[in-house]
Amino acid sequence: MPGKLKVKIVAGRHLPVMDRASDLTDAFVEVKFGNTTFKTDVYLKSLNPQWNSEWFKFEVDDEDLQDEPLQITVLDHDTYSANDAIGKVYIDIDPLLYSEAATVISGWFPIYDTIHGIRGEINVVVKVDLFNDLNRFRQSSCGVKFFCTTSIPKCYRAVIIHGFVEELVVNEDPEYQWIDRIRTPRASNEARQRLISLMSGELQRKIGLKVLEMRGNAVVGYLQCFDLEGESGLVVRAIGTACTLDKLSSPAAFLPACNSPSKEMKEIPFNEDPNPNTHSSGPSTPLKNQTYSFSPSKSYSRQSSSSDTDLSLTPKTGMGSGSAGKEGGPFKALLRQQTQSALEQREFPFFTLTAFPPGFLVHVGGVVSARSVKLLDRIHNPDEPETRDAWWAEIRQEIKSHAKALGCHAVVGYSESTSICEEVCILSASGTAAVLNPRFLQDGTVEGCLEQRLEENLPTRCGFCHIPYDELNMPFPAHLTYCYNCRKQKVPDVLFTTIDLPTDATVIGKGCLIQARLCRLKKKAQAEANATAISNLLPFMEYEVHTQLMNKLKLKGMNALFGLRIQITVGENMLMGLASATGVYLAALPTPGGIQIAGKTPNDGSYEQHISHMQKKINDTIAKNKELYEINPPEISEEIIGSPIPEPRQRSRLLRSQSESSDEVTELDLSHGKKDAFVLEIDDTDAMEDVHSLLTDVPPPSGFYSCNTEIMPGINNWTSEIQMFTSVRVIRLSSLNLTNQALNKNFNDLCENLLKSLYFKLRSMIPCCLCHVNFTVSLPEDELIQVTVTAVAITFDKNQALQTTKTPVEKSLQRASTDNEELLQFPLELCSDSLPSHPFPPAKEHLESASSNSGIPAAQRATSVDYSSFADRCSSWIELIKLKAQTIRRGSIKTTVTVEKASPVGDGNFRNRSAPPCANSTVGVVKMTPLSFIPGAKITKYLGIINMFFIRETTSLREEGGVSGFLHAFIAEVFAMVRAHVAALGGNAVVSYIMKQCVFMENPNKNQAQCLINVSGDAVVFVRESDLEVVSSQQPTTNCQSSCTEGEVTT
Amino acid sequence: MTSELDIFVGNTTLIDEDVYRLWLDGYSVTDAVALRVRSGILEQTGATAAVLQSDTMDHYRTFHMLERLLHLLHQLIFQIPPSRLTVYPFWMGLTQPSESPARPRQTPFPLFYGGYYAFDEAFVREVLGKKLSKGTKKDLDDISTKTGITLKSCRRQFDNFKRVFKVVEEMRGSLVDNIQQHFLLSDRLARDYAAIVFFANNRFETGKKKLQYLSFGDFAFCAELMIQNWTLGAVGEAPTDPDSQMDDMDMDLDKEFLQDLKELKVLVADKDLLDLHKSLVCTALRGKLGVFSEMEANFKNLSRGLVNVAAKLTHNKDVRDLFVDLVEKFVEPCRSDHWPLSDVRFFLNQYSASVHSLDGFRHQALWDRYMGTLRGCLLRLYHD
């Protein structure tokens, strides 16, 4: 009995009228945890009941504490008939289970009903007394911290980064159980919400156990997803990166992890005996090449990517290829060996992180991806989800082998996703192949000396761009040149990655959002035939998406993509591909050549003219873009660079012939001079279309920038105003005569118009940048395309663009982490018990970070790093994808009300006539952002993960304002509920917020609609940089504030 | 390709004030888009008409949601400390003004709110003093036609009046304060609403042709004076017994006071008193008034008019006609003799002050309470 959960129901407010006769409500509350239920008294005839209940105590296993949500139901008492439910609140108590996070959950929670939406609020206080459990066989993993953030959280230091953890649990979907035919929609929705909540808890607990086995204490980059497989069940799966983190403000920060005094660390020793069977659920199959044959007989499986090619290369490019170039010599080799040994013990050397501690990333090879098409079958035994595990294991093996082919031993920025339509499911995984520095991967003991060496040998800022593979044995054709920065190492001409721009990378100019969009019609088919059709289409789609990305990148005059994420969505009669990435110009890579158009048709005057006209347009666009994004690399004389390294042309041809049969192959070079032009052959109308579509992308209006990475390369003077938003659009295609071309155009217009609308909406924030723009495409029905975008608009100061004393907070924190210890401590206390109840003054954005290295020109600092990958342009099977998706968007509200002196009622003229009431109550707003930081503020505490799942259904769609009104209200409610939960934890922001799922179904004829939304993020406490100074000089003020807030809580 | 669904939801709700105004004015989405296009916004921003349409729809949807929220707010008003009210709208993510003072471009909630409760002068002038009942609502169509204000906007304004009326009707204490606290309105707006509620409660006639020259501001000014001086609340009698069925302190005129006003009749009924009064005024004003002779000739009529108005106020019917009577009995006669405003002021000051010198008259306090207010009102009403 290792835990006692205590719950107190304080009051309700704004309840709906449940009794028409009296216009009042007789409300009471049921509090349920596991199988135990308590009830409050009925509070008669009030819309604002004051229950002030006793403490309800639940004595439970910590296993249950992790799995079960606390379920609070508000009901209207009815003497003669059944009590009517008003709504529910589910509270995840996980944040109370580790010592550093929240100590109490207390606040006003919106009461939510799946049919009516939010119906009033309830004030609840929740506490947990946890007893230490010394049982080594225990099934719980309390104390492991979870972060959605895909970098090392701001107030922590990574001692060791252990690596990949994954788990999945399956169950039957309540919506498809027989009982669903006889129960109400409300009961069915609630069963689903509860089940998913339960499964998430279980999943998190299991992942936690794995982390403890690896002797870590935290999961970073935690990404949990639901697969609604319909008839065949419900899968909840999660991946993350296990780490050992140290709190920066703790004095023990530099002791090896095991000696750290923090509570969760103490538990580690009990898990110490090495468990050989680390990944109990992952099939430890030794097979690589034959993986596919292991698919369960019933499922149809064909890897979409031509992995055969890569696999066959593997032996040649194996890790041992000692030809690490002329560079680094012994050190590099050593490094590699160490890393390798560290990584080889891992089944999957994957990391879900997209940003890393300095020095972690040594080289970047390029994007690797794998997809596979599966037929869903019923999950017969939910306790042994072998099939799904095996599917993912296959894909991961493939990714691993792709990475090897690139001479890399690890994959970073790794993510997984699915797209399901009826019984067909596309599983996708992608990441960036990389060579890592072993420092963070090994035990703390080695650390000291290694660190030392590292400092000396730390690769230059261009290091990550250097190729990790053997240049004589390249896995795909590429132009290699000497690095434009150090001139010593080889770099590819283009680099694609799924990670964020490393902080120390040198970038010229600004970046921009680049998207490739593609639709392909497919015949409707059943089962295997359908899966085959999809499998056959996939390679073509990937190829085209890739070509489009490359063309657009060239058109922008840039040479690298970060944050690449390619989403392939399957529908009844079409496939959609959407790739988003942020293009930049990396100083270390060669200047991209232009695009040359070549016509194949025999000499025809007008045709030639047309071609040359088009060529001119393209050249103009490139020139304009260079100006727009301020790309003006220094001219480098030819001699220094030397001639391009001869390419293994033959091999590349070979590869291409294997992989691609399309006739629009993009020839790699007709070089003129050192700059290789990219040639587009126009030999049919399709190609013509492609070229046209290239030119239709409109740049954002002036004052706007956009990117899908955390921060915009080239902008570093953020001001504090942020606006997170979600925008959803659904279009209906006219079903007549749909052609691929028309479809492409529709899809393109949809995305472009959506972006234009965003720019228009946010015009008042200019100058600003849309960061972390995350597009999700789904095909809910035959002729419907749904695009969901979540992003955050951040303002920046144009005038200060050039004086860069400010760095993005994140960067400075990362670098200066140790110096900041003292600064951090005080705010921590402040925030843990008091919400800043005074309005935030406009942040002055004055970061006095010890680390802001003022010497470097702004432009250079801002952009930094990256790993590069070069993209294999050829076809790739090695695809690039970025997974930035893990960021989460969050929103939330925190409502803090200062206690106001009650003014005596009814004293006529004598009552004070001062300010209207709104002036004396301060409402703190809970910020939400998909980024891992808040501009102009310092995150002082992580309160735990927010992971919420909501269903909303209506049978009066028209009355609620149609589909738009319905979804608008629902999303606003979801934001409100996230905000309320964060506020109750004592936080004032959600970082790394993400809307992972937004499944919308409508039936206008029946006047019905249903929507499922899943969001997650990290609840945090932040302090404005400007407040930080004030606060430290005025301690008394804060005391008074905190007492005010407490007052509020208990009223 | 048709758009089925198109929404934008921000963590903080953005309100475009121009669109908000169009919505308040009751324009349909189509009309609003057309008006926005005409404003030249497309050229300024380089947006397309489709973008504008989507943006407008989105805003309208947001306003509808906020509107529902507002109404919810009032339904609950009685049991929540006023300070809590501001919390509620934050479901919608609206910002407080303090949140982003650097760039006050987002309309904070109080502004949204104030905008919602704003009204058109032309409209209020039509319904001022009328019973806020459903019957009147049917007249909204006519008002809409007459004033050119959209029916939708008329309806909103009318419903606002009614809502405020209903809420404060039952409350004790200062009308303005009640309105301000429960509707979170600015001081200015709260005063206007107090006037509207006061007029509606007392059903003062304002629609007669001879009153057409008066503006809402004129009436609001009078209402404020009357609330301050002629109501129960004005006397400062805090209710000693909270359970006693008392009249609304600020909304109803002090009945006792009205009853007492009959006593003033002696000023015109007693011929000696009237003559004495006249001679006092004439002595004091001789040589100071440009229209002295006209005043002298009219004194008895004017005085009779003013005092009779007072004496009649015991009847509800006559209360309603208060403004008609004042205009008929005082404003019009003076105006036809072309009294300048300054002369009217001299006269009224002297007229009320002189009564203090009438030894036979015992109701000095009553007279001051009556005449002090009336003087203010008359001066305000005296214009073209």
Side-chain angles (χ1 to χ4, degrees):
Chain A
M1 185 211 67
K4 192 187 274 181
L5 172 68
K6 300 191 295 183
V7 183
K8 185 183 175 88
I9 306 295
V10 183
R13 66 184 181 196
H14 307 158
L15 297 189
V17 169
M18 298 299 284
D19 178 1
R20 289 268 160 73
S22 65
D23 266 4
L24 289 168
T25 294
D26 303 325
F28 70 101
V29 182
E30 275 182 13
V31 185
K32 189 174 177 196
F33 189 82
N35 293 320
T36 316
T37 306
F38 292 102
K39 284 182 191 173
T40 65
D41 297 333
V42 177
Y43 194 92
L44 292 172
K45 304 205 178 308
S46 172
L47 299 183
N48 299 283
Q50 304 288 320
W51 290 289
N52 249 322
S53 78
E54 59 190 296
W55 285 100
F56 299 125
K57 298 189 179 94
F58 300 87
E59 297 180 338
V60 279
D61 285 344
D62 47 1
E63 190 179 334
D64 287 341
L65 281 175
Q66 285 193 294
D67 289 4
E68 295 270 350
L70 175 65
Q71 190 177 328
I72 293 169
T73 312
V74 185
L75 299 113
D76 176 52
H77 177 75
D78 203 326
T79 319
Y80 303 107
S81 58
N83 298 327
D84 295 325
I86 295 173
K88 289 192 179 217
V89 179
Y90 293 96
I91 301 177
D92 178 11
I93 48 173
D94 210 51
L96 295 178
L97 302 181
Y98 39 95
S99 55
E100 282 166 37
T103 52
V104 62
I105 298 177
S106 167
W108 290 98
F109 293 88
I111 302 168
Y112 181 73
D113 178 73
T114 59
I115 306 294
H116 295 102
I118 293 179
R119 306 172 94 190
E121 292 165 283
I122 183 169
N123 192 327
V124 180
V125 186
V126 185
K127 288 182 179 172
V128 172
D129 290 337
L130 206 55
F131 312 117
N132 261 342
D133 182 9
L134 305 189
N135 177 2
R136 65 153 76 159
F137 299 109
R138 72 210 172 101
Q139 287 299 301
S140 73
S141 55
C142 294
V144 175
K145 292 182 281 283
F146 285 81
F147 300 91
C148 295
T149 302
T150 57
S151 54
I152 301 302
K154 297 303 170 289
C155 38
Y156 291 90
R157 189 186 70 112
V159 180
I160 309 172
I161 298 176
H162 299 281
F164 192 59
V165 281
E166 49 76 30
E167 184 62 271
L168 64 79
V169 294
V170 301
N171 211 317
E172 267 186 282
D173 189 337
E175 184 101 344
Y176 294 89
Q177 284 163 349
W178 67 269
I179 196 174
D180 204 58
R181 286 178 214 154
I182 55 170
R183 65 182 166 191
T184 62
R186 174 181 285 120
S188 154
N189 291 339
E190 283 173 0
R192 240 171 150 192
Q193 284 192 167
R194 200 186 111 77
L195 178 69
I196 288 189
S197 185
L198 206 64
M199 288 168 79
S200 309
E202 182 189 344
L203 193 68
Q204 223 168 305
R205 174 174 58 81
K206 287 187 170 170
I207 293 236
L209 280 172
K210 291 188 176 179
V211 172
L212 290 177
E213 273 165 19
M214 296 165 97
R215 300 172 64 188
N217 65 0
V219 181
V220 180
Y222 184 68
L223 177 68
Q224 182 192 292
C225 294
F226 301 100
D227 297 332
L228 300 170
E229 295 186 352
E231 292 281 339
S232 51
L234 186 60
V235 176
V236 184
R237 59 194 162 77
I239 55 175
T241 305
C243 296
T244 300
L245 298 183
D246 254 0
K247 186 110 188 157
L248 278 177
S249 52
S250 118
F254 292 98
L255 296 179
C258 307
N259 300 338
S260 153
S262 72
K263 182 179 163 203
E264 59 270 41
M265 290 298 196
K266 270 190 236 155
E267 295 167 353
I268 288 170
F270 301 110
N271 289 304
E272 241 170 38
D273 29 354
N275 184 348
N277 193 11
T278 331
H279 299 275
S280 48
S281 72
S284 54
T285 155
L287 308 161
K288 283 180 193 163
N289 300 2
Q290 299 115 297
T291 325
Y292 317 129
S293 60
F294 269 65
S295 332
S297 55
K298 256 186 111 179
S299 83
Y300 181 84
S301 126
R302 182 182 179 283
Q303 300 307 106
S304 69
S305 52
S306 73
S307 42
D308 311 61
T309 321
D310 299 315
L311 288 177
S312 62
L313 283 174
T314 312
K316 297 179 210 150
T317 48
M319 307 285 290
S321 69
S323 59
K326 300 141 209 169
E327 72 170 298
F331 172 67
K332 188 171 176 183
L334 174 66
L335 214 150
R336 214 170 249 214
Q337 271 170 21
Q338 285 177 345
T339 323
Q340 232 173 293
S341 60
L343 285 168
E344 261 167 10
Q345 299 155 5
R346 287 168 212 192
E347 190 177 14
F348 299 113
F350 298 167
F351 300 86
T352 54
L353 304 181
T354 58
F356 310 89
F360 183 74
L361 205 58
V362 181
H363 302 299
V364 169
V367 171
V368 287
S369 82
R371 292 182 207 279
S372 119
V373 182
K374 300 287 185 188
L375 273 186
L376 299 172
D377 53 347
R378 193 160 203 99
I379 300 168
H380 293 289
N381 182 3
D383 292 333
E384 292 291 329
E386 283 160 348
T387 346
R388 302 302 186 274
D389 267 336
W391 289 355
W392 286 110
E394 268 170 30
I395 295 238
R396 289 170 192 145
Q397 280 300 345
E398 194 182 336
I399 291 275
K400 191 175 169 183
S401 64
H402 289 337
K404 270 196 182 168
L406 286 174
C408 296
H409 55 230
V411 176
V412 295
Y414 179 74
S415 71
E416 296 175 348
S417 64
T418 57
S419 171
I420 297 172
C421 178
E422 302 292 320
E423 74 272 83
V424 174
C425 174
I426 301 182
L427 309 185
S428 311
S430 73
T432 303
V435 175
L436 303 179
N437 187 313
R439 163 160 70 127
F440 296 93
L441 304 173
Q442 297 179 349
D443 267 350
T445 44
V446 208
E447 198 181 345
C449 55
L450 245 182
E451 200 156 2
Q452 196 100 37
R453 253 186 314 179
L454 255 172
E455 299 308 333
E456 294 158 15
N457 293 284
L458 202 60
T460 45
R461 46 180 64 238
C462 55
F464 74 91
C465 303
H466 302 162
I467 54 164
Y469 38 85
D470 180 357
E471 70 187 64
L472 299 175
N473 208 0
M474 287 196 302
F476 45 79
H479 288 271
L480 299 183
T481 46
Y482 282 105
C483 172
Y484 275 51
N485 191 7
C486 65
R487 314 256 173 255
K488 290 181 192 139
Q489 308 289 318
K490 299 281 173 58
V491 293
D493 55 347
V494 181
L495 188 55
F496 284 15
T497 74
T498 60
I499 53 178
D500 270 345
L501 193 64
T503 41
D504 51 348
T506 312
V507 168
I508 294 174
K510 297 201 165 62
C512 73
L513 180 70
I514 291 180
Q515 286 194 321
R517 303 157 188 144
L518 188 69
C519 304
R520 281 290 170 266
L521 289 169
K522 94 179 165 55
K523 290 217 174 73
K524 282 194 188 179
Q526 292 297 310
E528 301 228 352
N530 194 15
T532 315
I534 294 170
S535 302
N536 289 338
L537 269 175
L538 278 179
F540 293 94
M541 294 200 57
E542 301 224 22
Y543 173 77
E544 281 187 46
V545 163
H546 198 265
T547 309
Q548 240 186 66
L549 279 176
M550 188 64 88
N551 289 343
K552 288 189 177 176
L553 184 66
K554 299 256 177 202
L555 205 59
K556 295 277 194 292
M558 299 176 182
N559 58 17
L561 286 181
F562 289 90
L564 179 63
R565 180 170 168 255
I566 301 178
Q567 197 196 351
I568 304 260
T569 310
V570 56
E572 288 274 289
N573 56 351
M574 62 178 101
L575 285 175
M576 311 279 276
L578 179 66
S580 308
T582 301
V584 297
Y585 186 105
L586 282 178
L589 300 192
T591 314
I595 298 178
Q596 221 177 48
I597 296 192
K600 260 188 180 168
T601 335
N603 310 330
D604 166 348
S606 66
Y607 187 75
E608 290 287 316
Q609 205 178 357
H610 181 69
I611 294 276
S612 70
H613 176 67
M614 201 110 87
Q615 179 71 56
K616 182 166 177 299
K617 250 165 93 177
I618 286 184
N619 292 346
D620 289 351
T621 312
I622 294 180
K624 229 189 311 174
N625 280 331
K626 280 190 174 172
E627 198 179 318
L628 183 64
Y629 299 107
E630 298 159 29
I631 300 171
N632 32 19
E635 276 302 319
I636 299 170
S637 65
E638 193 93 15
E639 302 87 66
I640 310 186
I641 295 170
S643 53
I645 297 148
E647 236 189 295
R649 302 267 323 165
Q650 284 173 343
R651 172 184 290 283
S652 75
R653 288 241 171 87
L654 191 75
L655 272 175
R656 199 179 307 142
S657 63
Q658 280 179 353
S659 54
E660 210 22 89
S661 53
S662 157
D663 17 6
E664 328 162 67
V665 170
T666 53
E667 283 290 329
L668 284 186
D669 65 83
L670 291 187
S671 49
H672 41 208
K674 68 177 200 283
K675 298 178 185 174
D676 299 340
F678 199 67
V679 178
L680 287 181
E681 277 179 11
I682 300 191
D683 49 0
D684 58 16
T685 44
D686 267 4
M688 196 66 112
E689 281 300 317
D690 289 349
V691 174
H692 275 302
S693 70
L694 263 188
L695 295 167
T696 53
D697 281 10
V698 190
S702 98
F704 267 111
Y705 292 92
S706 56
C707 62
N708 74 336
T709 45
E710 285 248 308
I711 47 164
M712 177 71 168
I715 300 180
N716 47 17
N717 44 330
W718 303 108
T719 48
S720 58
E721 194 179 338
I722 64 173
Q723 165 73 313
M724 188 282 300
F725 59 86
T726 293
S727 185
V728 184
R729 276 201 186 182
V730 176
I731 57 160
R732 184 175 291 280
L733 302 162
S734 45
S735 54
L736 301 169
N737 307 325
L738 264 188
T739 61
N740 278 335
Q741 268 178 32
L743 205 54
N744 275 332
K745 179 160 187 322
N746 279 335
F747 184 40
N748 221 14
D749 288 351
L750 172 61
C751 295
E752 285 291 316
N753 289 339
L754 188 48
L755 282 170
K756 276 186 213 157
S757 269
L758 296 181
Y759 296 138
F760 181 76
K761 279 246 179 246
L762 299 163
R763 67 192 185 283
S764 66
M765 293 181 80
I766 287 178
C768 87
C769 179
L770 300 188
C771 294
H772 214 289
V773 178
N774 188 2
F775 274 70
T776 319
V777 184
S778 52
L779 299 164
E781 276 173 45
D782 263 13
E783 283 126 25
L784 294 184
I785 303 178
Q786 175 189 333
V787 175
T788 309
V789 185
T790 299
V792 61
I794 309 182
T795 56
F796 62 91
D797 190 341
K798 214 169 199 168
N799 303 326
Q800 292 178 10
L802 295 180
Q803 9 161 322
T804 357
T805 38
K806 311 168 186 177
T807 26
V809 183
E810 150 182 80
K811 225 183 282 178
S812 54
L813 280 181
Q814 250 176 25
R815 287 197 203 146
S817 45
T818 54
D819 312 60
N820 287 343
E821 274 172 52
E822 308 207 353
L823 268 181
L824 287 174
Q825 214 145 16
F826 178 71
L828 263 183
E829 285 162 22
L830 165 70
C831 299
S832 56
D833 52 5
S834 85
L835 309 172
S837 59
H838 54 275
F840 298 124
K844 270 177 279 164
E845 282 282 314
H846 187 235
L847 311 192
E848 31 159 40
S849 64
S851 66
S852 67
N853 25 8
S854 42
I856 306 166
Q860 289 192 356
R861 268 179 69 254
T863 69
S864 16
V865 174
D866 257 335
Y867 333 70
S868 44
S869 30
F870 71 102
D872 28 310
R873 19 184 133 141
C874 117
S875 41
S876 52
W877 313 133
I878 306 195
E879 261 304 308
L880 333 174
I881 293 192
K882 157 191 198 174
L883 239 206
K884 206 163 186 213
Q886 330 219 33
T887 53
I888 301 183
R889 323 180 166 151
R890 355 165 138 223
S892 27
I893 307 181
K894 182 177 237 178
T895 55
T896 325
V897 180
T898 50
V899 180
E900 192 202 30
K901 277 184 213 156
S903 57
V905 183
D907 54 348
N909 293 342
F910 302 110
R911 116 177 36 153
N912 81 23
R913 288 202 166 222
S914 62
C918 49
N920 35 12
S921 67
T922 320
V923 178
V925 169
V926 174
K927 302 246 177 200
M928 297 170 72
T929 169
L931 307 179
S932 64
F933 67 100
I934 294 167
K938 196 166 271 182
I939 293 174
T940 53
K941 192 172 182 182
Y942 281 80
L943 299 168
I945 200 168
I946 295 280
N947 187 8
M948 301 169 88
F949 177 81
F950 298 104
I951 301 178
R952 180 88 154 77
E953 186 165 347
T954 184
T955 49
S956 51
L957 188 58
R958 271 188 297 277
E959 294 77 359
E960 296 196 32
V963 286
S964 296
F966 170 73
L967 194 59
H968 190 144
F970 182 38
I971 291 178
E973 285 176 344
V974 168
F975 287 180
M977 287 185 280
V978 173
R979 290 189 291 241
H981 278 78
V982 174
L985 287 170
N988 56 5
V990 190
V991 295
S992 300
Y993 169 81
I994 184 172
M995 184 178 282
K996 289 178 297 195
Q997 225 137 16
C998 177
V999 184
F1000 178 72
M1001 288 156 291
E1002 56 168 325
N1003 189 341
N1005 296 333
K1006 285 188 174 170
N1007 206 16
Q1008 288 175 344
Q1010 191 191 35
C1011 186
L1012 293 78
I1013 286 183
N1014 177 217
V1015 296
S1016 64
D1018 294 327
V1020 300
V1021 176
F1022 73 88
V1023 179
R1024 290 254 168 240
E1025 299 282 334
S1026 49
D1027 290 357
L1028 219 52
E1029 298 150 27
V1030 179
V1031 158
S1032 47
S1033 59
Q1034 295 182 347
Q1035 202 157 357
T1037 326
T1038 61
N1039 291 341
C1040 125
Q1041 278 171 12
S1042 66
S1043 63
C1044 290
T1045 0
E1046 277 163 27
E1048 198 269 332
V1049 164
T1050 49
T1051 42
Chain B
M1 173 177 106
T2 51
S3 187
E4 285 272 304
L5 184 157
D6 179 6
I7 58 164
F8 175 98
V9 192
N11 186 33
T12 48
T13 302
L14 299 172
I15 292 177
D16 182 312
E17 293 189 34
D18 298 331
V19 187
Y20 184 41
R21 197 143 303 128
L22 293 170
W23 180 76
L24 285 176
D25 288 342
Y27 290 103
S28 67
V29 173
T30 323
D31 293 346
V33 170
L35 284 166
R36 292 182 82 188
V37 169
R38 224 171 295 155
S39 78
I41 195 165
L42 294 187
E43 290 75 23
Q44 285 165 31
T45 59
T48 63
V51 166
L52 204 60
Q53 167 88 15
S54 141
D55 180 65
T56 311
M57 298 253 287
D58 211 67
H59 272 111
Y60 268 53
R61 206 162 38 237
T62 307
F63 299 147
H64 285 305
M65 289 168 67
L66 287 171
E67 190 178 26
R68 251 184 304 174
L69 210 61
L70 286 186
H71 299 164
L72 192 55
L73 207 79
H74 296 122
Q75 182 193 330
L76 308 159
I77 233 142
F78 299 99
Q79 294 171 67
I80 317 160
S83 60
R84 286 282 166 73
L85 289 183
T86 47
V87 173
Y88 208 73
F90 286 83
W91 282 8
M92 293 294 297
L94 287 164
T95 51
Q96 281 287 74
S98 54
E99 176 66 9
S100 57
R103 304 175 173 216
R105 291 163 311 188
Q106 297 174 13
T107 308
F109 187 72
L111 254 177
F112 171 81
Y113 196 90
Y116 189 78
Y117 276 90
F119 51 81
D120 287 308
E121 170 117 13
F123 175 80
V124 72
R125 196 56 192 77
E126 291 296 321
V127 298
L128 194 64
K130 287 194 181 138
K131 203 171 171 186
L132 298 174
S133 66
K134 278 184 188 158
T136 316
K137 199 158 177 176
K138 282 179 197 138
D139 303 337
L140 289 179
D141 276 335
D142 301 338
I143 297 178
S144 169
T145 323
K146 188 173 164 194
T147 58
I149 298 166
T150 59
L151 184 62
K152 235 172 164 179
S153 179
C154 289
R155 204 147 269 163
R156 170 182 59 80
Q157 298 181 37
F158 186 79
D159 289 344
N160 284 343
F161 296 162
K162 209 163 122 182
R163 193 175 311 114
V164 173
F165 184 88
K166 264 184 102 174
V167 167
V168 298
E169 192 181 27
E170 309 283 316
M171 293 179 130
R172 297 205 180 141
S174 156
L175 195 53
V176 177
D177 283 1
N178 283 340
I179 291 171
Q180 211 170 46
Q181 294 217 1
H182 293 278
F183 292 90
L184 313 176
L185 299 180
S186 69
D187 190 57
R188 179 70 226 282
L189 208 48
R191 281 165 200 282
D192 286 348
Y193 267 90
I196 292 164
V197 167
F198 184 73
F199 266 65
N201 188 49
N202 291 290
R203 312 274 306 281
F204 291 116
E205 173 63 55
T206 64
K208 283 264 165 60
K209 204 167 176 202
K210 54 181 59 158
L211 297 183
Q212 285 308 313
Y213 78 99
L214 293 170
S215 69
F216 169 71
D218 296 335
F219 288 117
F221 179 85
C222 298
E224 192 168 353
L225 282 180
M226 286 154 78
I227 292 170
Q228 278 168 11
N229 298 301
W230 287 4
T231 60
L232 260 187
V235 198
E237 290 171 14
T240 42
D241 177 6
D243 294 329
S244 71
Q245 285 292 337
M246 299 198 58
D247 289 329
D248 299 319
M249 296 185 45
D250 271 6
M251 294 245 293
D252 291 330
L253 296 171
D254 182 352
K255 291 242 168 64
E256 219 170 302
F257 164 69
L258 297 182
Q259 207 65 41
D260 292 345
L261 284 178
K262 276 187 179 164
E263 307 290 340
L264 299 182
K265 221 165 172 187
V266 69
L267 282 175
V268 289
D270 183 332
K271 194 157 183 310
D272 294 345
L273 220 47
L274 182 60
D275 287 340
L276 187 55
H277 192 189
K278 180 180 172 184
S279 69
L280 283 171
V281 172
C282 289
T283 317
L285 291 179
R286 191 180 307 273
K288 291 182 185 158
L289 232 49
V291 290
F292 182 78
S293 52
E294 290 89 339
M295 184 277 284
E296 198 173 18
N298 264 330
F299 181 88
K300 286 189 180 172
N301 278 340
L302 291 176
S303 185
R304 235 175 247 133
L306 292 177
V307 172
N308 283 337
V309 165
K312 287 197 308 183
L313 285 178
T314 39
H315 304 293
N316 281 340
K317 163 87 177 62
D318 293 309
V319 171
R320 282 183 212 168
D321 286 339
L322 176 67
F323 289 95
V324 182
D325 289 343
L326 290 178
V327 169
E328 256 173 24
K329 300 279 159 50
F330 186 84
V331 176
E332 283 182 345
C334 296
R335 205 159 45 191
S336 68
D337 285 343
H338 306 290
W339 292 36
L341 183 61
S342 55
D343 284 359
V344 177
R345 184 175 296 119
F346 273 131
F347 170 75
L348 284 174
N349 286 345
Q350 204 53 50
Y351 175 75
S352 34
S354 304
V355 171
H356 296 284
S357 315
L358 296 174
D359 292 336
F361 184 67
R362 288 170 300 134
H363 307 285
Q364 303 293 354
L366 185 66
W367 174 253
D368 284 348
R369 187 176 175 191
Y370 173 68
M371 212 42 217
T373 301
L374 205 66
R375 187 181 55 211
C377 294
L378 287 172
L379 288 171
R380 177 77 192 220
L381 299 180
Y382 191 79
H383 62 82
D384 289 328

